[in-house]
Amino acid sequence: PKTKEGVMCQRIRYLREIQQARQIIRSYLPLIYLLINIYINEEMFKEAMEEIKKGFQDFPGNPFLLCLTGRVSAFTGDKDNAQNILNELLEKAKEEYVSQFALASLYADLGKIDEAYEYLDIGYQDRDLFYMFFTTIYRSDPRFNIFFNKIGL
């Protein structure tokens, strides 16, 4: 049988493992993106913004984190801020890499579906790997199935 001390030692080990896992996540951007997208999809916007703020501490000015900020703004009804962020990302894209799928997500969140599909197609042609984070589109739109069949999903 486990002693009280043994249980406490096991709990301490688990807490250390959780802390180590958090450090790994903090250092690997795709995991941060995935976590934030999960929060957004689950409408856990406060948690999403907390992770975005932490992400900006480690990766200041990161365009994908900026896009995720815009997505939260769009979902919480601040369409003006989301549009401003989209405009900022479009300007950034003139000088540095900005994921076309990230732009497509933000366009879709703003209800600009034609533009979203335009950027999805550009991202596909550019072999943008961030399509795995693309979760916002209107599935009732016939272009949805056409696009995802094209990329093999």
Side-chain angles (χ1 to χ4, degrees), residues 35-79:
L35 177 62
I36 294 167
N37 267 309
I38 290 168
Y39 283 142
I40 291 171
N41 291 338
E42 294 299 317
E43 299 182 7
M44 299 171 68
F45 303 120
K46 180 182 173 198
E47 292 84 353
M49 284 307 300
E50 288 171 6
E51 290 300 324
I52 290 168
K53 286 177 186 173
K54 290 178 193 173
F56 276 131
Q57 289 173 359
D58 296 330
F59 305 97
N62 180 278
F64 207 90
L65 291 171
L66 188 57
C67 174
L68 292 168
T69 304
R71 295 193 68 214
V72 171
S73 294
F75 277 112
T76 58
D78 192 353
K79 301 282 187 181

